[in-house]
Amino acid sequence: MIRSTTLDDTAALLALASEAIGFSPEELKELKLSLNDYFSGENGDHFWLTDDDDGLVAAAYCAPERMTNGTWNLLFLAVHPEQQGQGRGTAMVRHVEETLAARGAHLLLVETLASFERTRAFYLKCGYGKEACIRDFYEAGADKIVYRKLLNF
């Protein structure tokens, strides 16, 4: 069941980020700070979603692009390794898209590392088009790939 993330999901969400994506301790610390801001109401329109199947198995985080009208970023998407390949990621992305379309959004952007071939293939399968490659973005040799999808529901 996909639902809004709650404060009680924090520990499971941090574990998911570690297990599914391999977040470093520093990245987990930043994620925890972001979650604290979110649950304190400091992030305005931002939203977290959770796929709960007797425990957190997937999560997504979206934020509006500043100084735009209707452009959003999918900044986090993770599916527990044991549930990958079962359609949970696709269901989560579709739920995000429907949520944003209901809010009047027209464009969703996603970024990932060029080296994440499986992730890139996933977004292509979900109907996203490659929009840009920013070479050496994360560090020398670590390119950022940006995907986009118009939300025409």
Side-chain angles (χ1 to χ4, degrees):
M1 168 185 73
I2 297 176
R3 59 171 175 78
S4 294
T5 303
T6 67
L7 181 61
D8 292 340
D9 295 318
T10 301
L13 209 153
L14 293 169
L16 177 68
S18 178
E19 294 170 22
I21 303 174
F23 269 29
S24 69
E26 187 61 34
E27 290 169 321
L28 290 171
K29 182 179 175 183
E30 287 297 318
L31 178 57
K32 187 171 184 177
L33 290 173
S34 293
L35 287 166
N36 288 342
D37 288 347
Y38 175 73
F39 291 119
S40 70
E42 294 185 28
N43 285 341
D45 292 337
H46 300 211
F47 65 91
W48 279 91
L49 295 172
T50 297
D51 184 352
D52 188 341
D53 187 6
D54 293 323
L56 190 142
V57 296
Y61 172 60
C62 284
E65 180 66 37
R66 293 179 4 195
M67 300 178 68
T68 68
N69 185 13
T71 300
W72 283 71
N73 294 285
L74 178 58
L75 298 170
F76 180 93
L77 177 67
V79 177
H80 192 281
E82 293 177 7
Q83 279 80 26
Q84 291 179 5
Q86 299 175 9
R88 291 187 183 272
T90 300
M92 184 66 79
V93 168
R94 297 290 177 249
H95 195 90
V96 165
E97 293 169 356
E98 291 166 4
T99 299
L100 291 173
R103 292 181 176 202
H106 72 278
L107 181 66
L108 182 56
L109 302 174
V110 179
E111 65 181 57
T112 189
L113 281 159
S115 61
F116 289 2
E117 292 181 29
R118 187 171 173 208
T119 301
R120 292 181 17 240
F122 169 78
Y123 286 113
L124 290 172
K125 184 182 108 189
C126 288
Y128 287 74
K130 182 178 173 183
E131 185 67 17
C133 172
I134 304 172
R135 293 179 306 221
D136 303 314
F137 180 83
Y138 295 102
E139 63 185 10
D143 301 345
K144 174 168 94 169
I145 307 295
V146 180
Y147 292 90
R148 73 186 287 270
K149 186 173 187 181
L150 291 174
L151 303 175
N152 302 3
F153 288 95

